[in-house]
Amino acid sequence: GQQVMQIPQYQHVQEGEDFTTYCNSSTTLSNIQWYKQRPGGHPVFLIQLVKSGEVKKQKRLTFQFGEAKKNSSLHITATQTTDVGTYFCAGRDYGQNFVFGPGTRLSVLP
Amino acid sequence: DTGVSQDPRHKITKRGQNVTFRCDPISEHNRLYWYRQTLGQGPEFLTYFQNEAQLEKSRLLSDRFSAERPKGSFSTLEIQRTEQGDSAMYLCASSLGAGIYSGNTIYFGEGSWLTVV
């Protein structure tokens, strides 16, 4: 079945440093979504990417969908303590359901 | 609050007992999902409804698990004869879908924590 992997598992950065997490799928995806989950909270939708090679920006966050639609990345510029949490990608093949990756846990040291 | 609501938020039960969780999705959403999440892991898909029809069920879902959405609105997830391995957060989510490629945003509830002792 479809598998979604993320690296790194953990990332500790100093406030102001950049952060990137990578997501890879074992199958070609129709679309991919990114979520953020704060400690003790529930996943909150960030963005959806649909087109091959698509790049979307949300303030300090940049999301990219690979040309082959099998990988994606999330880059945060100049991290802040409010960025702390676990970032999940969730990929959908041509079925109905999203398969979540294991997440990248980000901690930001002030 | 017009988000996805789940009840109860926390449940402690003895092994072997049955438990039921309820989910009220966002009112106009026709799709409803159940996921399970354990500490340090991503949400794991359990089952999915479009209106009242249960369209897909994970192979990981044993016969002890059953979900219903009788009127296409709220849903229940029942776990029979609970085991310690069932301890997890059970997340409900909903979305508005217009078709197989619509890929609409999934909105998650706060989750129901289950501890089996």
Side-chain angles (χ1 to χ4, degrees):
Chain A
Q2 180 191 3
Q3 291 186 336
V4 177
M5 296 145 281
Q6 281 184 257
I7 55 169
Q9 187 176 3
Y10 301 96
Q11 185 78 58
H12 306 278
V13 299
Q14 204 72 36
E15 189 173 21
E17 291 182 339
D18 293 355
F19 159 76
T20 304
T21 173
Y22 299 91
C23 177
N24 290 285
S25 170
S26 58
T27 60
T28 302
L29 301 171
S30 64
N31 49 35
I32 193 163
Q33 296 184 346
W34 285 91
Y35 292 80
K36 177 183 179 181
Q37 186 172 22
R38 294 183 183 275
H42 62 282
V44 174
F45 173 81
L46 294 177
I47 207 159
Q48 176 172 276
L49 303 171
V50 179
K51 298 177 183 176
S52 169
E54 188 171 15
V55 178
K56 286 188 176 180
K57 292 190 176 184
Q58 287 180 351
K59 298 182 180 178
R60 294 178 295 104
L61 278 61
T62 301
F63 303 84
Q64 188 166 4
F65 202 6
E67 292 290 342
K69 300 184 75 174
K70 294 184 74 174
N71 57 72
S72 182
S73 65
L74 158 59
H75 179 80
I76 303 178
T77 303
T79 54
Q80 300 174 358
T81 55
T82 53
D83 295 326
V84 165
T86 301
Y87 292 85
F88 293 101
C89 63
R92 189 171 76 167
D93 54 19
Y94 293 89
Q96 289 288 350
N97 305 305
F98 285 89
V99 176
F100 280 76
T104 295
R105 186 177 299 176
L106 173 65
S107 62
V108 180
L109 304 174
Chain B
D1 187 275
T2 56
V4 179
S5 62
Q6 294 187 242
D7 182 70
R9 295 291 315 282
H10 301 273
K11 179 74 176 178
I12 300 174
T13 190
K14 291 184 179 179
R15 188 174 53 185
Q17 297 293 306
N18 299 343
V19 296
T20 299
F21 299 112
R22 177 183 168 119
C23 171
D24 287 90
I26 294 172
S27 60
E28 66 269 24
H29 284 184
N30 59 342
R31 295 183 178 177
L32 187 147
Y33 309 79
W34 284 100
Y35 284 84
R36 177 171 63 191
Q37 188 177 26
T38 54
L39 285 174
Q41 299 297 317
E44 174 188 37
F45 169 76
L46 295 179
T47 190
Y48 148 71
F49 291 85
Q50 179 147 322
N51 301 311
E52 65 275 9
Q54 188 174 18
L55 296 187
E56 192 164 336
K57 198 172 169 181
S58 168
R59 289 189 299 270
L60 302 173
L61 210 61
S62 77
D63 291 342
R64 297 184 297 105
F65 288 71
S66 62
E68 293 182 345
R69 194 184 183 196
K71 297 181 180 179
S73 56
F74 75 91
S75 175
T76 58
L77 175 69
E78 181 183 18
I79 309 173
Q80 296 182 324
R81 304 181 303 281
T82 53
E83 301 172 356
Q84 286 188 322
D86 297 331
S87 296
M89 180 166 66
Y90 290 84
L91 287 160
C92 177
S94 71
S95 70
L96 182 63
I100 190 169
Y101 296 113
S102 64
N104 295 70
T105 302
I106 298 175
Y107 295 88
F108 281 87
E110 299 281 349
S112 292
W113 281 100
L114 173 65
T115 302
V116 181
V117 297

